[in-house]
Amino acid sequence: MDLFKFPSQRSNHAPPSASLWISPEMLPSVIIVACLPVLVLRCAADLCNWTGSGFAVGADPRIVLQVRLRCTEGSVRWVYPGQALRVALEPNLSSIRYNTVCIQEFPSLSGASVFIERAGELELLVTEDGGRTGRQVFCFQAGEPHRPVIYLQAGPQSPETWSRRIVGFRYKLLRNRSANSGLETSCRPCNDTELLMAVCSSDFVVRGYIKNVFHDSRRQTSLVEVWTTKVYWQRSGVFEQQVHPYVSSQSRRGRIRTLLQCHVKPGDGQFLFTGSDHFGEAWLGCAPRYKDFLSVYHKARMGRRTFCNFPLD
């Protein structure tokens, strides 16, 4: 086992009692235990997922379990969480830069605080209180695009109150390629080729209006409320049909999530929304104004550069 020095920690969102602090004289006695796919210590792991127990080492405050995962998405499940767990995400894709990491509570993060490692410091992402509802999604920008690190610090438990519980999350690494000028965002707009590919390969393609936009700085995401006039296809049932005598049978309502850093603002007119399903939610891809999409599509079809036949009205 190697000696491990904790990075320092800072947080703009939590009181000092929520942080993990170790005095300098304690650092030489802190132990890190590596739990790799080829070296298992009371855990089951593969390249994408990890399941392990902190029961055996939970009483020793010096031990930090370390996990390295090599995929762009997967899950972590920590049974009998004790002390701290360090998860390094090291995908085998050196040519692609993944700038953002999103995690979803699975089954729960209650009883544990989540920190992000940036430049040798730990920043608080999620506190250990159990006041959250549902399986929320939290996103953050990776300090090192190829090696974001997530820390979990379990709340204190005595041997008398030790209980079987599972702390865990799903993770996904995302690229900031998406979003568009149609939604008046500051993210890079999709070019014509990306747009044509998006309407043929996205998990959902719908046409409609923006009803509202909500920003969540804590979770680093924005939520776009959409009223659709036509659903071309969707893989999941994110866009639900509205039953109302004065509303068209094709009208549906849905929510599309995107990153806060895209600075999404409402815009007038109809949009063509495309994107992917992540964590059971719709995430925004390309979303031009519908009239702009028609211009691009007609031009591409005349030049025989379309990737599929898109149904036009």
Side-chain angles (χ1 to χ4, degrees), residues 136-147:
Q136 295 190 11
V137 177
F138 299 86
C139 298
F140 63 92
Q141 288 186 280
E144 297 182 43
H146 300 301
R147 192 179 176 180

Side-chain angles (χ1 to χ4, degrees), residues 197-213:
M197 291 181 65
V199 298
C200 300
S201 60
S202 291
D203 292 334
F204 65 88
V205 178
V206 301
R207 192 173 85 206
Y209 300 89
I210 302 171
K211 184 178 180 183
N212 215 333
V213 178

Side-chain angles (χ1 to χ4, degrees), residues 12-48:
N12 298 323
H13 309 288
S17 60
S19 64
L20 173 65
W21 181 82
I22 296 181
S23 61
E25 59 269 19
M26 291 175 62
L27 287 174
S29 62
V30 175
I31 300 172
I32 186 167
V33 178
C35 186
L36 305 175
V38 295
L39 177 61
V40 178
L41 179 67
R42 302 182 187 278
C43 70
D46 57 32
L47 295 178
C48 305

Side-chain angles (χ1 to χ4, degrees), residues 202-206 231-241 252-253 277 282:
S202 291
D203 292 334
F204 65 88
V205 178
V206 301
V231 175
Y232 295 95
W233 58 79
Q234 60 174 327
R235 192 169 70 171
S236 60
V238 173
F239 300 93
E240 301 174 346
Q241 188 169 356
R252 297 171 185 256
R253 186 174 62 183
D277 291 344

Side-chain angles (χ1 to χ4, degrees), residues 178-180 183 195 197-208 224 226 228 230-240 252 254-258 271-278 280-288 310:
S178 63
N180 49 86
L183 276 174
L195 174 57
M197 291 181 65
V199 298
C200 300
S201 60
S202 291
D203 292 334
F204 65 88
V205 178
V206 301
R207 192 173 85 206
V224 183
V226 174
T228 72
K230 186 165 186 176
V231 175
Y232 295 95
W233 58 79
Q234 60 174 327
R235 192 169 70 171
S236 60
V238 173
F239 300 93
E240 301 174 346
R252 297 171 185 256
R255 294 181 173 184
I256 306 175
R257 195 170 295 278
T258 188
F271 295 88
L272 188 71
F273 300 98
T274 70
S276 304
D277 291 344
H278 298 301
E281 298 179 313
W283 283 70
L284 186 64
C286 300
F310 187 81

Side-chain angles (χ1 to χ4, degrees), residues 8-295:
S8 58
Q9 297 185 42
R10 57 187 173 93
S11 170
N12 298 323
H13 309 288
S17 60
S19 64
L20 173 65
W21 181 82
I22 296 181
S23 61
E25 59 269 19
M26 291 175 62
L27 287 174
S29 62
V30 175
I31 300 172
I32 186 167
V33 178
C35 186
L36 305 175
V38 295
L39 177 61
V40 178
L41 179 67
R42 302 182 187 278
C43 70
D46 57 32
L47 295 178
C48 305
N49 310 290
W50 179 85
T51 298
S53 171
F55 184 78
V57 299
D60 191 336
R62 302 172 301 162
I63 292 181
V64 178
L65 291 177
Q66 178 166 268
V67 177
R68 287 188 174 91
L69 300 175
R70 306 288 288 175
C71 298
T72 57
E73 61 181 279
S75 64
V76 171
R77 290 166 55 88
W78 195 15
V79 186
Y80 293 112
Q83 303 311 323
L85 175 69
R86 183 178 189 267
V87 182
L89 305 178
E90 302 173 348
N92 294 314
L93 295 170
S94 58
S95 62
I96 301 178
R97 294 176 64 88
Y98 287 86
N99 308 91
T100 302
V101 181
C102 292
I103 65 172
Q104 180 191 45
E105 301 181 67
F106 182 74
S108 172
L109 288 171
S110 179
S113 296
V114 181
F115 297 85
I116 307 306
E117 182 180 316
R118 297 185 197 277
E121 296 184 339
L122 297 185
E123 296 181 5
L124 183 64
L125 180 68
V126 184
T127 60
E128 67 177 75
D129 64 76
R132 297 179 298 275
T133 58
R135 292 179 175 176
Q136 295 190 11
V137 177
F138 299 86
C139 298
F140 63 92
Q141 288 186 280
E144 297 182 43
H146 300 301
R147 192 179 176 180
V149 176
I150 302 171
Y151 273 84
L152 274 71
Q153 179 190 2
Q157 289 192 81
S158 64
E160 293 78 17
T161 61
W162 198 278
S163 60
R164 177 181 171 85
R165 59 190 176 98
I166 301 175
V167 168
F169 60 87
R170 291 189 177 114
Y171 69 88
K172 280 194 176 184
L173 277 65
L174 305 176
R175 287 181 291 166
N176 300 347
R177 183 210 65 79
S178 63
N180 49 86
S181 55
L183 276 174
E184 301 176 17
T185 72
S186 63
C187 294
R188 183 175 73 80
C190 296
N191 58 40
D192 290 355
T193 301
E194 290 170 339
L195 174 57
L196 293 170
M197 291 181 65
V199 298
C200 300
S201 60
S202 291
D203 292 334
F204 65 88
V205 178
V206 301
R207 192 173 85 206
Y209 300 89
I210 302 171
K211 184 178 180 183
N212 215 333
V213 178
F214 304 95
H215 303 293
D216 190 333
S217 58
R218 186 173 67 93
R219 298 170 63 184
Q220 290 295 296
T221 61
S222 297
L223 197 62
V224 183
E225 274 195 350
V226 174
W227 189 274
T228 72
T229 55
K230 186 165 186 176
V231 175
Y232 295 95
W233 58 79
Q234 60 174 327
R235 192 169 70 171
S236 60
V238 173
F239 300 93
E240 301 174 346
Q241 188 169 356
Q242 303 300 298
V243 181
H244 194 281
Y246 302 105
V247 177
S248 167
S249 60
Q250 292 199 31
S251 294
R252 297 171 185 256
R253 186 174 62 183
R255 294 181 173 184
I256 306 175
R257 195 170 295 278
T258 188
L259 300 175
L260 182 66
Q261 66 205 51
C262 291
H263 305 296
V264 174
K265 300 177 182 179
D268 297 327
Q270 284 197 91
F271 295 88
L272 188 71
F273 300 98
T274 70
S276 304
D277 291 344
H278 298 301
F279 307 113
E281 298 179 313
W283 283 70
L284 186 64
C286 300
R289 296 185 187 280
Y290 183 62
K291 61 181 180 63
D292 294 335
F293 162 72
L294 289 179
S295 175

